[in-house]
Coordinates of all heavy atoms in Angstrom, one line a residue:
M223 N 0.8 -1.2 0.0 CA 0.0 0.0 0.0 C 0.9 1.2 0.0 O 1.7 1.4 0.9 CB -0.8 0.0 1.3 CG -2.1 0.7 1.1 SD -2.8 1.0 2.7 CE -4.2 0.2 2.9
S224 N 0.8 2.1 -1.0 CA 1.6 3.3 -1.1 C 0.8 4.5 -0.5 O -0.4 4.6 -0.8 CB 2.1 3.5 -2.5 OG 1.0 4.0 -3.3
Q225 N 1.5 5.3 0.2 CA 0.8 6.5 0.7 C 1.4 7.7 -0.1 O 2.6 7.8 -0.3 CB 1.1 6.7 2.2 CG 0.5 5.7 3.0 CD 0.8 6.0 4.5 OE1 1.8 6.6 4.8 NE2 0.0 5.4 5.4
H226 N 0.5 8.5 -0.6 CA 0.9 9.7 -1.3 C 1.0 10.9 -0.3 O 0.0 11.3 0.3 CB -0.1 10.1 -2.4 CG 0.3 11.3 -3.2 ND1 1.4 11.4 -4.0 CD2 -0.3 12.6 -3.2 CE1 1.5 12.6 -4.5 NE2 0.5 13.3 -4.1
K227 N 2.2 11.4 -0.1 CA 2.4 12.4 0.9 C 2.4 13.8 0.3 O 3.0 14.0 -0.8 CB 3.8 12.2 1.6 CG 4.0 13.0 2.8 CD 5.3 12.6 3.5 CE 5.6 13.5 4.7 NZ 6.8 13.3 5.3
Q228 N 1.6 14.7 0.9 CA 1.5 16.0 0.4 C 2.8 16.8 0.6 O 3.5 16.6 1.6 CB 0.4 16.8 1.1 CG -1.0 16.3 0.8 CD -1.4 16.6 -0.6 OE1 -0.9 17.6 -1.2 NE2 -2.3 15.9 -1.1
P229 N 3.3 17.6 -0.3 CA 4.5 18.4 -0.1 C 4.3 19.3 1.1 O 3.3 19.8 1.4 CB 4.6 19.2 -1.4 CG 3.7 18.6 -2.4 CD 2.7 17.9 -1.6
T230 N 5.4 19.5 1.8 CA 5.4 20.4 2.9 C 5.3 21.8 2.4 O 6.1 22.2 1.5 CB 6.8 20.3 3.7 OG1 6.9 18.9 4.1 CG2 6.8 21.2 4.9
P231 N 4.4 22.7 3.0 CA 4.3 24.0 2.5 C 5.4 25.0 3.0 O 5.9 24.7 4.1 CB 2.9 24.4 3.0 CG 2.7 23.6 4.2 CD 3.4 22.3 3.9
T232 N 5.6 26.1 2.3 CA 6.5 27.1 2.8 C 5.7 27.9 3.9 O 4.5 27.6 4.2 CB 6.9 28.1 1.7 OG1 5.7 28.8 1.3 CG2 7.5 27.4 0.6
S233 N 6.3 28.9 4.5 CA 5.7 29.6 5.6 C 4.5 30.4 4.9 O 3.6 30.8 5.6 CB 6.6 30.6 6.2 OG 7.2 31.5 5.3
G234 N 4.5 30.7 3.6 CA 3.4 31.3 3.0 C 2.4 30.4 2.5 O 1.4 30.8 1.8
G235 N 2.5 29.1 2.7 CA 1.5 28.1 2.3 C 1.7 27.5 1.0 O 0.9 26.7 0.5
V236 N 2.8 27.9 0.3 CA 3.1 27.3 -1.1 C 3.7 26.0 -0.9 O 4.7 25.8 -0.2 CB 4.0 28.3 -1.9 CG1 4.4 27.7 -3.2 CG2 3.4 29.7 -2.0
P237 N 3.2 24.9 -1.6 CA 3.8 23.6 -1.4 C 5.2 23.6 -2.0 O 5.5 24.2 -3.1 CB 2.9 22.7 -2.3 CG 1.6 23.5 -2.4 CD 2.0 24.9 -2.4
V238 N 6.1 23.0 -1.3 CA 7.5 22.8 -1.8 C 7.6 21.6 -2.7 O 7.5 20.5 -2.2 CB 8.5 22.7 -0.6 CG1 9.9 22.6 -1.1 CG2 8.4 23.9 0.3
T239 N 7.7 21.9 -3.9 CA 7.7 20.8 -4.9 C 9.1 20.8 -5.6 O 9.9 21.7 -5.4 CB 6.7 21.1 -6.1 OG1 7.0 22.3 -6.7 CG2 5.3 21.1 -5.5
D240 N 9.4 19.8 -6.3 CA 10.7 19.7 -7.0 C 10.9 20.9 -8.0 O 12.0 21.5 -8.1 CB 10.9 18.4 -7.8 CG 11.1 17.2 -6.9 OD1 11.5 17.4 -5.8 OD2 10.8 16.1 -7.4
D241 N 9.8 21.3 -8.6 CA 9.8 22.5 -9.5 C 10.2 23.7 -8.8 O 11.0 24.6 -9.2 CB 8.5 22.6 -10.3 CG 8.2 21.6 -11.3 OD1 9.2 20.9 -11.7 OD2 7.1 21.4 -11.7
L242 N 9.6 23.9 -7.6 CA 9.9 25.1 -6.8 C 11.3 25.1 -6.4 O 12.0 26.1 -6.4 CB 8.9 25.2 -5.6 CG 9.2 26.4 -4.7 CD1 9.0 27.7 -5.4 CD2 8.2 26.3 -3.5
V243 N 11.8 24.0 -5.9 CA 13.2 23.9 -5.5 C 14.1 24.2 -6.6 O 15.1 25.0 -6.5 CB 13.5 22.5 -4.9 CG1 15.0 22.3 -4.7 CG2 12.7 22.2 -3.6
N244 N 13.9 23.7 -7.8 CA 14.7 24.0 -9.0 C 14.7 25.5 -9.3 O 15.7 26.1 -9.6 CB 14.3 23.2 -10.2 CG 14.6 21.7 -10.0 OD1 15.6 21.4 -9.3 ND2 13.8 20.8 -10.6
Q245 N 13.5 26.1 -9.3 CA 13.3 27.5 -9.6 C 14.1 28.3 -8.6 O 14.9 29.3 -9.0 CB 11.9 27.9 -9.5 CG 11.6 29.4 -9.7 CD 10.2 29.8 -9.4 OE1 9.3 28.9 -9.3 NE2 9.9 31.0 -9.2
L246 N 14.0 28.0 -7.3 CA 14.8 28.8 -6.3 C 16.3 28.6 -6.4 O 17.1 29.5 -6.2 CB 14.3 28.3 -4.9 CG 12.8 28.7 -4.5 CD1 12.4 28.1 -3.2 CD2 12.6 30.2 -4.5
A247 N 16.7 27.4 -6.8 CA 18.1 27.1 -7.0 C 18.6 27.9 -8.1 O 19.7 28.5 -8.1 CB 18.3 25.6 -7.2
D248 N 17.9 28.0 -9.2 CA 18.3 28.7 -10.4 C 18.4 30.2 -10.0 O 19.4 30.9 -10.4 CB 17.3 28.6 -11.5 CG 17.3 27.2 -12.2 OD1 18.3 26.5 -11.9 OD2 16.3 26.9 -12.9
E249 N 17.5 30.8 -9.2 CA 17.6 32.1 -8.8 C 18.8 32.4 -7.9 O 19.5 33.4 -8.1 CB 16.3 32.5 -8.0 CG 15.1 32.7 -8.8 CD 13.9 33.0 -7.9 OE1 14.0 33.4 -6.8 OE2 12.7 32.8 -8.4
A250 N 19.1 31.4 -7.0 CA 20.2 31.6 -6.2 C 21.5 31.5 -6.9 O 22.5 32.3 -6.7 CB 20.2 30.5 -5.1
E251 N 21.6 30.6 -7.9 CA 22.8 30.5 -8.7 C 23.1 31.7 -9.6 O 24.2 32.1 -9.8 CB 22.8 29.3 -9.6 CG 22.9 28.0 -8.7 CD 22.7 26.7 -9.6 OE1 22.3 26.8 -10.7 OE2 22.9 25.6 -9.0
A252 N 22.0 32.4 -10.0 CA 22.1 33.6 -10.8 C 22.6 34.8 -9.9 O 23.1 35.8 -10.4 CB 20.8 34.0 -11.4
G253 N 22.4 34.7 -8.6 CA 22.8 35.7 -7.7 C 21.7 36.7 -7.3 O 20.7 36.8 -8.1
Y254 N 21.8 37.3 -6.2 CA 20.8 38.2 -5.7 C 21.4 39.6 -5.6 O 22.5 39.8 -5.2 CB 20.2 37.8 -4.4 CG 19.5 36.5 -4.4 CD1 20.0 35.3 -3.9 CD2 18.2 36.4 -4.9 CE1 19.3 34.2 -3.9 CE2 17.5 35.3 -4.9 CZ 18.0 34.1 -4.4 OH 17.3 33.0 -4.4
D255 N 20.5 40.6 -5.8 CA 20.9 42.0 -5.6 C 20.6 42.2 -4.1 O 19.4 42.3 -3.7 CB 20.1 42.9 -6.5 CG 20.4 44.4 -6.2 OD1 21.3 44.7 -5.4 OD2 19.8 45.3 -6.8
V256 N 21.6 42.3 -3.3 CA 21.4 42.4 -1.8 C 20.6 43.6 -1.5 O 19.8 43.6 -0.6 CB 22.8 42.4 -1.1 CG1 22.6 42.6 0.4 CG2 23.5 41.1 -1.4
E257 N 20.8 44.7 -2.2 CA 20.1 45.9 -1.9 C 18.6 45.8 -2.2 O 17.8 46.5 -1.6 CB 20.7 47.1 -2.7 CG 22.1 47.4 -2.3 CD 22.3 47.8 -0.8 OE1 21.4 48.5 -0.3 OE2 23.3 47.3 -0.2
A258 N 18.3 44.9 -3.1 CA 16.9 44.8 -3.5 C 16.1 43.8 -2.6 O 14.9 43.8 -2.7 CB 16.8 44.3 -5.0
L259 N 16.8 43.0 -1.9 CA 16.1 42.1 -1.0 C 15.3 42.8 0.0 O 15.8 43.8 0.6 CB 17.2 41.1 -0.3 CG 17.9 40.2 -1.2 CD1 19.0 39.4 -0.4 CD2 17.0 39.2 -1.9
R260 N 14.1 42.3 0.3 CA 13.3 43.0 1.3 C 13.8 42.7 2.7 O 14.1 41.6 3.0 CB 11.8 42.7 1.0 CG 11.2 41.7 1.9 CD 9.8 41.4 1.5 NE 9.5 40.0 1.6 CZ 9.0 39.4 2.7 NH1 8.7 40.1 3.7 NH2 8.9 38.1 2.7
R261 N 13.8 43.7 3.5 CA 14.2 43.5 4.9 C 13.0 42.7 5.6 O 11.9 43.1 5.5 CB 14.4 44.8 5.6 CG 14.7 44.7 7.1 CD 15.5 45.8 7.6 NE 15.5 45.9 9.0 CZ 16.2 45.0 9.8 NH1 16.9 44.1 9.3 NH2 16.1 45.2 11.1
R262 N 13.4 41.7 6.3 CA 12.4 41.0 7.0 C 12.2 41.6 8.4 O 13.0 42.5 8.8 CB 12.9 39.5 7.2 CG 13.0 38.8 5.8 CD 13.4 37.4 6.1 NE 12.3 36.6 5.5 CZ 12.5 35.4 5.2 NH1 13.6 34.8 5.5 NH2 11.5 34.7 4.7
G263 N 11.3 41.1 9.1 CA 11.0 41.6 10.5 C 12.2 41.4 11.3 O 13.4 41.4 10.9
G264 N 12.0 41.1 12.5 CA 13.1 40.9 13.4 C 13.2 42.0 14.4 O 12.3 42.9 14.5
R265 N 14.2 42.0 15.2 CA 14.3 43.0 16.3 C 14.7 44.3 15.7 O 15.6 44.4 14.8 CB 15.4 42.5 17.3 CG 15.0 41.3 18.0 CD 16.1 40.8 18.9 NE 15.8 39.5 19.4 CZ 15.2 39.3 20.6 NH1 14.9 40.3 21.4 NH2 15.0 38.1 21.0
P266 N 14.1 45.4 16.2 CA 14.5 46.7 15.7 C 15.9 47.1 16.2 O 16.3 46.6 17.3 CB 13.5 47.6 16.3 CG 12.9 46.9 17.5 CD 13.0 45.4 17.1
L267 N 16.6 47.9 15.5 CA 17.9 48.4 16.0 C 17.8 49.2 17.3 O 16.8 49.9 17.5 CB 18.6 49.2 14.9 CG 19.0 48.6 13.6 CD1 19.6 49.6 12.6 CD2 20.0 47.4 13.9
M268 N 18.8 49.1 18.1 CA 18.8 49.8 19.3 C 20.0 50.7 19.2 O 21.1 50.3 19.4 CB 19.0 48.9 20.5 CG 17.9 47.9 20.7 SD 18.2 46.7 22.0 CE 18.2 47.8 23.4
G269 N 19.8 52.0 18.9 CA 20.9 52.9 18.8 C 21.4 52.9 17.4 O 20.7 52.7 16.4
S270 N 22.7 52.9 17.2 CA 23.3 53.1 15.9 C 23.6 51.8 15.2 O 24.0 51.8 14.0 CB 24.6 53.8 16.1 OG 25.5 53.1 16.9
G271 N 23.3 50.7 15.8 CA 23.6 49.4 15.2 C 23.0 48.2 15.9 O 22.3 48.4 16.9
P272 N 23.4 47.0 15.5 CA 22.9 45.8 16.2 C 23.3 45.8 17.6 O 24.5 46.2 17.9 CB 23.5 44.7 15.4 CG 23.9 45.2 14.1 CD 24.2 46.7 14.4
A273 N 22.5 45.4 18.5 CA 22.8 45.3 19.9 C 23.6 44.0 20.3 O 23.4 43.0 19.6 CB 21.6 45.4 20.8
D274 N 24.4 44.1 21.3 CA 25.1 42.9 21.8 C 24.3 42.3 22.9 O 23.6 43.0 23.6 CB 26.5 43.3 22.4 CG 27.5 43.7 21.3 OD1 27.4 43.2 20.2 OD2 28.4 44.5 21.6
V275 N 24.4 41.0 23.0 CA 23.8 40.3 24.1 C 24.9 40.1 25.2 O 26.0 39.7 24.9 CB 23.3 38.9 23.7 CG1 22.8 38.1 24.9 CG2 22.2 39.1 22.6
V276 N 24.6 40.5 26.4 CA 25.5 40.5 27.5 C 24.9 39.6 28.6 O 24.0 40.0 29.3 CB 25.8 41.9 28.1 CG1 26.8 41.8 29.2 CG2 26.4 42.8 27.0
P277 N 25.4 38.4 28.8 CA 24.8 37.5 29.8 C 25.1 38.0 31.2 O 26.2 38.5 31.4 CB 25.5 36.2 29.6 CG 26.2 36.3 28.3 CD 26.4 37.7 28.0
V278 N 24.2 38.0 32.1 CA 24.4 38.5 33.4 C 23.8 37.4 34.4 O 22.7 36.9 34.1 CB 23.6 39.8 33.6 CG1 23.7 40.3 35.1 CG2 24.2 40.9 32.8
R279 N 24.5 37.1 35.4 CA 23.9 36.2 36.4 C 23.3 37.0 37.6 O 23.9 37.9 38.1 CB 25.1 35.3 37.0 CG 25.7 34.4 36.0 CD 26.9 33.7 36.5 NE 26.5 32.9 37.7 CZ 26.7 31.6 37.8 NH1 27.2 30.9 36.9 NH2 26.4 31.0 39.0
L280 N 22.1 36.6 37.9 CA 21.3 37.2 39.0 C 21.0 36.2 40.0 O 20.6 35.1 39.7 CB 20.0 37.8 38.4 CG 20.2 38.8 37.3 CD1 18.8 39.3 36.8 CD2 21.0 40.0 37.7
D281 N 21.1 36.6 41.3 CA 20.7 35.7 42.4 C 19.2 35.7 42.4 O 18.5 36.5 41.8 CB 21.3 36.1 43.7 CG 20.8 37.5 44.2 OD1 19.6 37.6 44.6 OD2 21.6 38.5 44.1
P282 N 18.6 34.7 43.0 CA 17.1 34.5 43.0 C 16.3 35.7 43.5 O 15.3 36.1 42.9 CB 16.9 33.3 43.8 CG 18.1 32.5 43.7 CD 19.2 33.5 43.7
A283 N 16.8 36.3 44.5 CA 16.1 37.5 45.1 C 16.1 38.7 44.1 O 15.1 39.3 43.9 CB 16.7 37.9 46.4
L284 N 17.3 38.9 43.5 CA 17.4 40.0 42.5 C 16.5 39.7 41.3 O 15.9 40.6 40.7 CB 18.8 40.3 42.1 CG 19.1 41.4 41.2 CD1 18.6 42.7 41.8 CD2 20.6 41.5 41.0
R285 N 16.6 38.5 40.8 CA 15.7 38.1 39.6 C 14.2 38.2 39.9 O 13.5 38.7 39.1 CB 16.1 36.6 39.3 CG 15.2 36.1 38.1 CD 15.5 36.8 36.9 NE 14.7 36.3 35.8 CZ 14.3 36.9 34.7 NH1 14.8 38.1 34.4 NH2 13.6 36.3 33.8
A286 N 13.8 37.9 41.1 CA 12.4 38.0 41.5 C 12.0 39.5 41.5 O 10.9 39.9 41.1 CB 12.2 37.3 42.9
A287 N 12.9 40.3 42.1 CA 12.6 41.8 42.1 C 12.5 42.3 40.7 O 11.7 43.2 40.4 CB 13.7 42.5 43.0
L288 N 13.4 41.9 39.9 CA 13.4 42.4 38.5 C 12.1 41.9 37.8 O 11.5 42.7 37.1 CB 14.6 41.8 37.7 CG 14.6 42.0 36.2 CD1 14.6 43.4 35.8 CD2 15.8 41.2 35.6
T289 N 11.7 40.7 38.0 CA 10.5 40.2 37.4 C 9.3 41.0 37.9 O 8.4 41.4 37.1 CB 10.3 38.7 37.7 OG1 11.4 38.0 37.1 CG2 9.0 38.2 37.1
R290 N 9.2 41.3 39.2 CA 8.1 42.0 39.8 C 8.0 43.4 39.2 O 7.0 43.9 38.8 CB 8.2 42.1 41.3 CG 7.8 40.8 42.0 CD 7.7 41.1 43.5 NE 8.9 41.6 44.1 CZ 9.9 40.9 44.6 NH1 9.9 39.6 44.5 NH2 11.0 41.5 45.1
R291 N 9.2 44.1 39.1 CA 9.2 45.4 38.5 C 8.8 45.5 37.1 O 8.0 46.3 36.7 CB 10.7 46.0 38.7 CG 10.8 47.4 38.2 CD 9.9 48.4 38.9 NE 10.0 49.7 38.3 CZ 10.7 50.7 38.8 NH1 11.4 50.5 39.9 NH2 10.7 51.9 38.2
A292 N 9.3 44.5 36.3 CA 9.0 44.5 34.9 C 7.5 44.2 34.7 O 6.8 44.9 33.9 CB 9.8 43.4 34.2
E293 N 6.9 43.3 35.5 CA 5.5 43.1 35.4 C 4.7 44.3 35.8 O 3.7 44.6 35.2 CB 5.1 41.8 36.2 CG 5.6 40.5 35.6 CD 5.4 39.3 36.5 OE1 4.9 39.5 37.6 OE2 5.7 38.2 36.0
A294 N 5.1 44.9 36.9 CA 4.4 46.1 37.4 C 4.4 47.2 36.4 O 3.4 48.0 36.3 CB 5.0 46.6 38.7
D295 N 5.5 47.4 35.7 CA 5.6 48.4 34.7 C 5.1 48.0 33.3 O 5.2 48.8 32.3 CB 7.0 48.9 34.6 CG 7.5 49.6 35.8 OD1 6.7 49.9 36.7 OD2 8.7 49.9 35.9
N296 N 4.7 46.7 33.2 CA 4.3 46.2 31.9 C 5.4 46.3 30.8 O 5.2 46.7 29.7 CB 3.0 46.8 31.4 CG 2.3 46.0 30.3 OD1 2.4 44.8 30.3 ND2 1.6 46.7 29.4
R297 N 6.6 45.9 31.2 CA 7.7 46.0 30.4 C 8.5 44.6 30.5 O 8.2 43.8 31.3 CB 8.7 47.1 30.9 CG 7.9 48.4 30.9 CD 8.7 49.6 31.4 NE 9.8 49.9 30.5 CZ 10.9 50.4 30.9 NH1 11.2 50.7 32.1 NH2 11.9 50.6 30.0
T298 N 9.5 44.5 29.6 CA 10.3 43.3 29.7 C 11.5 43.5 30.7 O 11.8 44.7 31.0 CB 11.0 43.0 28.3 OG1 11.9 44.1 28.0 CG2 9.9 42.9 27.2
A299 N 12.0 42.4 31.2 CA 13.1 42.5 32.1 C 14.3 43.2 31.4 O 15.0 44.0 32.0 CB 13.6 41.1 32.5
S300 N 14.5 43.0 30.1 CA 15.6 43.6 29.4 C 15.4 45.1 29.4 O 16.4 45.9 29.6 CB 15.7 43.1 28.0 OG 16.1 41.8 27.9
D301 N 14.2 45.6 29.2 CA 13.9 47.1 29.2 C 14.3 47.7 30.6 O 14.9 48.7 30.7 CB 12.5 47.4 28.9 CG 12.1 47.2 27.5 OD1 13.0 47.3 26.6 OD2 10.9 47.0 27.2
V302 N 13.9 47.0 31.7 CA 14.2 47.5 33.0 C 15.7 47.5 33.3 O 16.2 48.5 33.8 CB 13.4 46.6 34.0 CG1 13.8 47.0 35.5 CG2 11.9 46.7 33.9
I303 N 16.4 46.4 32.9 CA 17.8 46.4 33.0 C 18.5 47.5 32.3 O 19.4 48.2 32.8 CB 18.4 45.0 32.6 CG1 17.9 43.9 33.6 CG2 19.9 45.0 32.5 CD1 18.2 42.5 33.1
R304 N 18.1 47.7 31.0 CA 18.7 48.8 30.2 C 18.5 50.2 30.9 O 19.5 51.0 31.0 CB 18.2 48.8 28.8 CG 18.9 47.7 27.9 CD 18.5 47.9 26.4 NE 17.1 47.6 26.2 CZ 16.6 46.4 25.9 NH1 17.4 45.4 25.8 NH2 15.3 46.3 25.8
D305 N 17.3 50.4 31.3 CA 17.0 51.7 31.9 C 17.8 51.9 33.2 O 18.4 53.0 33.5 CB 15.5 51.9 32.2 CG 14.7 52.2 31.0 OD1 15.3 52.5 29.9 OD2 13.5 52.2 31.1
A306 N 17.9 50.8 34.0 CA 18.7 50.9 35.3 C 20.1 51.1 35.0 O 20.8 52.0 35.6 CB 18.5 49.6 36.1
L307 N 20.7 50.5 34.0 CA 22.1 50.6 33.6 C 22.4 52.0 33.1 O 23.4 52.7 33.5 CB 22.5 49.6 32.6 CG 24.0 49.5 32.3 CD1 24.8 49.3 33.5 CD2 24.2 48.4 31.3
R308 N 21.5 52.5 32.2 CA 21.6 53.9 31.7 C 21.6 54.9 32.9 O 22.5 55.8 32.9 CB 20.5 54.2 30.8 CG 20.7 53.7 29.4 CD 19.6 54.2 28.4 NE 19.6 53.4 27.2 CZ 18.6 52.5 27.0 NH1 17.6 52.3 27.8 NH2 18.7 51.8 25.8
A309 N 20.7 54.8 33.8 CA 20.6 55.7 35.0 C 21.9 55.6 35.8 O 22.4 56.6 36.2 CB 19.4 55.4 35.8
W310 N 22.4 54.4 36.0 CA 23.6 54.2 36.8 C 24.8 54.8 36.2 O 25.7 55.4 36.8 CB 23.8 52.7 37.1 CG 24.9 52.4 38.1 CD1 24.9 52.7 39.4 CD2 26.1 51.8 37.8 NE1 26.1 52.3 40.0 CE2 26.9 51.8 39.0 CE3 26.7 51.3 36.6 CZ2 28.1 51.2 39.1 CZ3 28.0 50.8 36.7 CH2 28.7 50.7 37.9
L311 N 24.9 54.7 34.8 CA 26.0 55.2 34.1 C 25.8 56.6 33.7 O 26.7 57.2 33.1 CB 26.2 54.3 32.8 CG 26.7 52.9 33.0 CD1 26.7 52.1 31.7 CD2 28.0 52.8 33.7
H312 N 24.6 57.2 33.9 CA 24.3 58.5 33.5 C 24.4 58.7 32.0 O 24.9 59.7 31.5 CB 25.1 59.6 34.2 CG 25.0 59.5 35.7 ND1 23.9 59.7 36.4 CD2 25.9 59.0 36.6 CE1 24.1 59.5 37.7 NE2 25.3 59.1 37.8
A313 N 24.0 57.6 31.2 CA 24.1 57.7 29.8 C 22.8 57.9 29.2 O 21.8 57.5 29.8 CB 24.7 56.3 29.3
A314 N 22.8 58.5 28.0 CA 21.5 58.8 27.4 C 20.9 57.7 26.6 O 21.2 56.8 26.2 CB 21.6 60.0 26.5

């Protein structure tokens, strides 16, 4: 008994077929104009360029206080940390 499996769709719902794969491969081999590519979503820039991720270890009490403050202000923990760091450094 053979089962006919439907092609897996792309995020836009288009089925990924051999024809589509060949078409996309041909486009890629021809090269892309990087300036013409549409910018996708993602995180907005913070300041003049991409932001760095800086891991920080917090003890449980400090983490709980951060979580409470972020929830009370309806903000993310990262927003609260950035604002606190800016205030401490007196940076704009």
